[in-house]
Coordinates of all heavy atoms in Angstrom, one line a residue:
Y371 N 120.9 114.0 98.4 CA 122.2 113.4 98.1 C 123.0 114.4 97.4 O 122.4 115.4 96.8 CB 122.1 112.1 97.4 CG 121.5 112.2 96.0 CD1 122.2 112.4 94.9 CD2 120.1 112.3 95.8 CE1 121.7 112.5 93.6 CE2 119.5 112.4 94.5 CZ 120.4 112.4 93.4 OH 119.8 112.6 92.2
D372 N 124.3 114.1 97.3 CA 125.1 115.0 96.4 C 125.9 114.0 95.5 O 126.1 112.8 95.9 CB 126.0 116.0 97.1 CG 126.9 115.3 98.1 OD1 127.5 114.3 97.8 OD2 127.1 115.9 99.2
E373 N 126.3 114.5 94.4 CA 127.1 113.6 93.5 C 128.2 114.5 92.8 O 128.1 115.6 92.5 CB 126.2 113.0 92.4 CG 125.5 113.9 91.5 CD 124.7 113.2 90.4 OE1 125.1 112.1 90.0 OE2 123.6 113.7 90.1
K374 N 129.3 113.8 92.6 CA 130.4 114.4 91.9 C 130.4 113.8 90.4 O 130.2 112.6 90.3 CB 131.8 114.1 92.6 CG 131.8 114.8 93.9 CD 133.1 114.5 94.6 CE 133.1 115.1 96.0 NZ 134.4 114.8 96.7
K375 N 130.8 114.6 89.5 CA 130.8 114.1 88.1 C 131.8 112.9 87.9 O 131.6 112.0 87.0 CB 131.0 115.2 87.2 CG 130.0 116.2 87.2 CD 129.9 117.0 85.9 CE 128.9 118.2 86.0 NZ 127.7 117.8 85.5
Q376 N 132.9 112.9 88.6 CA 134.0 111.9 88.3 C 133.7 110.7 89.1 O 134.2 109.5 88.7 CB 135.4 112.4 88.8 CG 135.7 113.8 88.4 CD 135.3 114.9 89.3 OE1 134.1 114.9 89.9 NE2 136.1 115.9 89.6
I377 N 132.8 110.6 90.1 CA 132.5 109.5 90.9 C 131.1 108.9 90.6 O 130.1 109.7 90.5 CB 132.7 109.8 92.4 CG1 134.1 110.3 92.7 CG2 132.4 108.6 93.2 CD1 134.2 110.9 94.1
S378 N 131.1 107.6 90.4 CA 129.7 107.0 90.1 C 128.8 106.9 91.3 O 127.6 106.9 91.1 CB 129.9 105.6 89.4 OG 130.5 104.8 90.3
L379 N 129.3 106.7 92.5 CA 128.5 106.6 93.6 C 128.1 108.0 94.1 O 128.8 108.9 94.2 CB 129.3 106.0 94.8 CG 129.7 104.5 94.6 CD1 130.6 104.1 95.8 CD2 128.6 103.6 94.5
V380 N 126.8 108.1 94.6 CA 126.4 109.4 95.2 C 126.6 109.3 96.8 O 126.7 108.2 97.3 CB 124.9 109.6 94.9 CG1 124.7 109.8 93.3 CG2 124.0 108.5 95.5
R381 N 126.5 110.4 97.4 CA 126.7 110.4 98.8 C 125.3 110.9 99.4 O 124.9 112.0 99.2 CB 127.8 111.3 99.1 CG 128.1 111.5 100.6 CD 129.3 112.4 100.8 NE 129.5 112.7 102.2 CZ 130.3 112.1 102.9 NH1 131.2 111.1 102.4 NH2 130.5 112.4 104.2
L382 N 124.6 110.0 100.2 CA 123.4 110.4 100.8 C 123.7 111.3 102.0 O 124.5 111.0 102.8 CB 122.7 109.1 101.3 CG 122.3 108.0 100.2 CD1 121.6 106.9 100.9 CD2 121.6 108.6 99.1
Q383 N 122.9 112.3 102.1 CA 123.0 113.3 103.2 C 121.9 113.0 104.2 O 122.2 113.0 105.5 CB 122.8 114.7 102.6 CG 123.9 115.2 101.7 CD 125.3 115.1 102.3 OE1 125.4 115.4 103.4 NE2 126.2 114.7 101.5
E384 N 120.6 112.7 103.8 CA 119.6 112.5 104.8 C 118.4 111.9 104.0 O 118.4 112.0 102.8 CB 119.2 113.7 105.6 CG 118.6 114.8 104.8 CD 118.3 115.9 105.7 OE1 119.2 116.8 105.9 OE2 117.1 116.0 106.1
V385 N 117.6 111.2 104.7 CA 116.3 110.6 104.1 C 115.2 110.9 105.1 O 115.4 111.1 106.3 CB 116.4 109.1 104.0 CG1 117.6 108.7 103.0 CG2 116.6 108.3 105.3
H386 N 114.0 111.0 104.5 CA 112.8 111.2 105.2 C 111.8 110.2 104.7 O 111.5 110.1 103.5 CB 112.2 112.6 105.0 CG 113.1 113.6 105.4 ND1 113.3 114.0 106.8 CD2 114.0 114.3 104.7 CE1 114.2 114.9 106.8 NE2 114.7 115.3 105.6
I387 N 111.3 109.3 105.6 CA 110.3 108.2 105.2 C 109.0 108.8 104.8 O 108.4 109.6 105.5 CB 110.2 107.2 106.3 CG1 111.5 106.5 106.7 CG2 109.1 106.1 106.0 CD1 111.5 105.7 107.9
I388 N 108.5 108.4 103.6 CA 107.2 108.8 103.1 C 106.2 107.6 103.5 O 105.1 107.8 104.0 CB 107.1 109.0 101.6 CG1 108.0 110.2 101.3 CG2 105.7 109.2 101.1 CD1 108.2 110.4 99.8
N389 N 106.6 106.4 103.1 CA 105.8 105.2 103.5 C 106.8 104.0 103.8 O 107.6 103.6 102.8 CB 104.9 104.9 102.3 CG 103.9 103.8 102.6 OD1 104.0 103.1 103.6 ND2 102.9 103.6 101.8
A390 N 106.7 103.4 104.9 CA 107.6 102.3 105.2 C 106.9 100.9 104.9 O 107.6 100.0 105.0 CB 107.8 102.3 106.7
Y391 N 105.8 100.9 104.4 CA 105.0 99.7 103.9 C 105.1 98.7 105.1 O 105.4 97.5 104.9 CB 105.6 99.1 102.7 CG 105.3 100.1 101.5 CD1 106.4 100.8 100.9 CD2 104.1 100.2 101.0 CE1 106.2 101.6 99.8 CE2 103.8 101.0 99.9 CZ 104.8 101.7 99.3 OH 104.7 102.6 98.3
T392 N 104.7 99.1 106.3 CA 104.8 98.1 107.4 C 103.8 97.0 107.3 O 104.2 95.8 107.6 CB 104.5 98.9 108.7 OG1 103.3 99.6 108.6 CG2 105.6 99.8 109.1
R393 N 102.6 97.1 106.8 CA 101.7 96.0 106.6 C 102.2 95.0 105.6 O 102.1 93.9 105.7 CB 100.3 96.5 106.2 CG 99.5 97.1 107.3 CD 98.1 97.5 106.9 NE 98.0 98.7 106.1 CZ 97.2 98.9 105.2 NH1 96.2 98.1 105.0 NH2 97.3 100.0 104.5
L394 N 102.8 95.6 104.6 CA 103.5 94.6 103.6 C 104.6 93.9 104.2 O 104.7 92.7 103.9 CB 104.0 95.5 102.4 CG 104.4 94.9 101.1 CD1 104.1 95.7 99.9 CD2 105.9 94.5 101.2
K395 N 105.4 94.5 105.0 CA 106.6 93.8 105.6 C 106.2 92.8 106.8 O 107.0 91.9 107.1 CB 107.5 94.9 106.2 CG 108.2 95.7 105.0 CD 109.0 96.7 105.7 CE 109.7 97.7 104.6 NZ 110.4 98.8 105.2
E396 N 105.0 92.9 107.3 CA 104.6 92.0 108.3 C 104.1 90.6 107.7 O 104.1 89.7 108.4 CB 103.3 92.6 109.1 CG 103.7 93.7 109.9 CD 102.6 94.5 110.5 OE1 101.3 94.2 110.1 OE2 102.7 95.3 111.3
N397 N 103.9 90.6 106.4 CA 103.4 89.4 105.7 C 104.6 88.8 104.9 O 105.0 89.6 104.0 CB 102.2 89.7 104.9 CG 101.6 88.4 104.2 OD1 102.3 87.6 103.7 ND2 100.3 88.4 104.2
L398 N 105.0 87.7 105.2 CA 106.3 87.2 104.5 C 106.0 86.9 103.0 O 106.8 87.3 102.1 CB 106.7 85.8 105.0 CG 107.9 85.2 104.5 CD1 109.1 86.2 104.8 CD2 108.2 83.9 105.2
N399 N 104.7 86.5 102.6 CA 104.4 86.3 101.2 C 104.4 87.6 100.5 O 105.0 87.8 99.4 CB 103.1 85.6 101.1 CG 102.9 85.1 99.7 OD1 103.7 84.4 99.1 ND2 101.6 85.2 99.2
K400 N 103.8 88.6 101.0 CA 103.7 90.0 100.5 C 105.1 90.5 100.3 O 105.4 91.2 99.4 CB 102.8 90.9 101.3 CG 101.3 90.6 101.0 CD 100.5 91.6 101.8 CE 99.1 91.3 101.8 NZ 98.4 91.7 100.6
M401 N 105.9 90.4 101.4 CA 107.2 91.0 101.3 C 108.1 90.2 100.2 O 108.8 90.9 99.5 CB 107.9 90.7 102.7 CG 109.3 91.5 102.8 SD 109.7 91.3 104.5 CE 111.4 91.7 104.3
A402 N 107.8 89.0 100.0 CA 108.6 88.3 98.9 C 108.2 88.8 97.5 O 109.0 89.1 96.7 CB 108.3 86.8 99.0
Y403 N 106.9 89.1 97.3 CA 106.3 89.6 96.1 C 106.9 91.1 95.9 O 107.3 91.5 94.8 CB 104.8 89.6 96.0 CG 104.4 88.3 95.5 CD1 103.9 87.3 96.3 CD2 104.5 88.0 94.1 CE1 103.4 86.1 95.8 CE2 104.1 86.7 93.6 CZ 103.5 85.8 94.5 OH 103.0 84.6 94.0
G404 N 106.9 91.8 97.0 CA 107.4 93.2 97.0 C 108.9 93.2 96.5 O 109.3 94.1 95.8
S405 N 109.7 92.3 97.1 CA 111.1 92.2 96.7 C 111.3 91.8 95.3 O 112.1 92.3 94.6 CB 111.8 91.2 97.6 OG 111.8 91.6 98.9
Y406 N 110.4 90.9 94.8 CA 110.3 90.6 93.4 C 110.0 91.8 92.5 O 110.7 92.0 91.5 CB 109.3 89.4 93.1 CG 109.1 89.2 91.8 CD1 110.1 88.6 90.9 CD2 107.9 89.4 91.1 CE1 109.9 88.3 89.6 CE2 107.7 89.1 89.8 CZ 108.7 88.5 89.0 OH 108.5 88.3 87.7
F407 N 109.1 92.6 92.9 CA 108.7 93.8 92.1 C 110.0 94.7 92.0 O 110.3 95.3 91.0 CB 107.6 94.5 92.8 CG 106.3 93.8 92.6 CD1 105.1 94.4 93.3 CD2 106.1 92.6 92.0 CE1 103.9 93.8 93.2 CE2 104.9 91.9 92.0 CZ 103.7 92.5 92.6
L408 N 110.6 94.9 93.2 CA 111.8 95.7 93.3 C 112.9 95.2 92.3 O 113.5 96.0 91.5 CB 112.4 95.9 94.6 CG 111.7 96.7 95.6 CD1 112.4 96.7 97.0 CD2 111.6 98.1 95.1
E409 N 113.2 93.9 92.4 CA 114.2 93.3 91.6 C 113.9 93.4 90.1 O 114.7 93.7 89.3 CB 114.3 91.8 91.9 CG 115.4 91.1 91.3 CD 116.8 91.4 91.9 OE1 116.8 91.7 93.1 OE2 117.7 91.1 91.1
L410 N 112.6 93.2 89.7 CA 112.3 93.3 88.3 C 112.4 94.7 87.8 O 113.1 94.9 86.7 CB 110.8 92.9 88.2 CG 110.3 92.5 86.9 CD1 111.0 91.4 86.3 CD2 108.8 92.2 87.0
I411 N 111.9 95.7 88.5 CA 112.1 97.1 88.0 C 113.5 97.6 88.1 O 114.0 98.3 87.3 CB 111.2 98.0 88.9 CG1 109.7 97.7 88.8 CG2 111.4 99.5 88.4 CD1 109.1 97.8 87.5
S412 N 114.2 97.1 89.1 CA 115.7 97.4 89.2 C 116.5 96.9 88.0 O 117.4 97.6 87.5 CB 116.3 96.8 90.4 OG 117.6 97.1 90.6
E413 N 116.1 95.8 87.4 CA 116.8 95.3 86.2 C 116.5 96.0 85.0 O 117.3 96.2 84.1 CB 116.4 93.9 86.0 CG 117.1 92.8 87.0 CD 118.6 92.9 86.9 OE1 119.1 92.8 85.9 OE2 119.1 92.8 88.0

C-alpha cells in the first residue's frame, strides 16, 4: 500500500493471500468466533 501524510486512508496496490482460513470459513460457528476475535482485537 501507499499512504500520503495529509490523508488518513491508505491506497492498496495489491495483496497476496498467505492463509484464507477456508476450513474456518466452512463452519458457521467457527466463522462467528473468528469474527468475534477480529472485532475484539480491532477495538
Side-chain angles (χ1 to χ4, degrees):
Y371 66 95
D372 60 45
E373 63 181 323
K374 296 180 181 176
K375 295 203 186 271
Q376 312 88 319
I377 301 172
S378 64
L379 295 175
V380 299
R381 183 181 172 96
L382 301 182
Q383 297 299 323
E384 62 183 87
V385 300
H386 301 281
I387 298 172
I388 297 171
N389 189 347
Y391 295 108
T392 50
R393 282 188 287 152
L394 189 147
K395 292 175 185 174
E396 290 170 353
N397 182 319
L398 186 60
N399 195 42
K400 286 181 184 280
M401 192 169 158
Y403 275 103
S405 296
Y406 170 66
F407 293 176
L408 283 179
E409 186 78 23
L410 197 60
I411 300 295
S412 180
E413 287 299 316

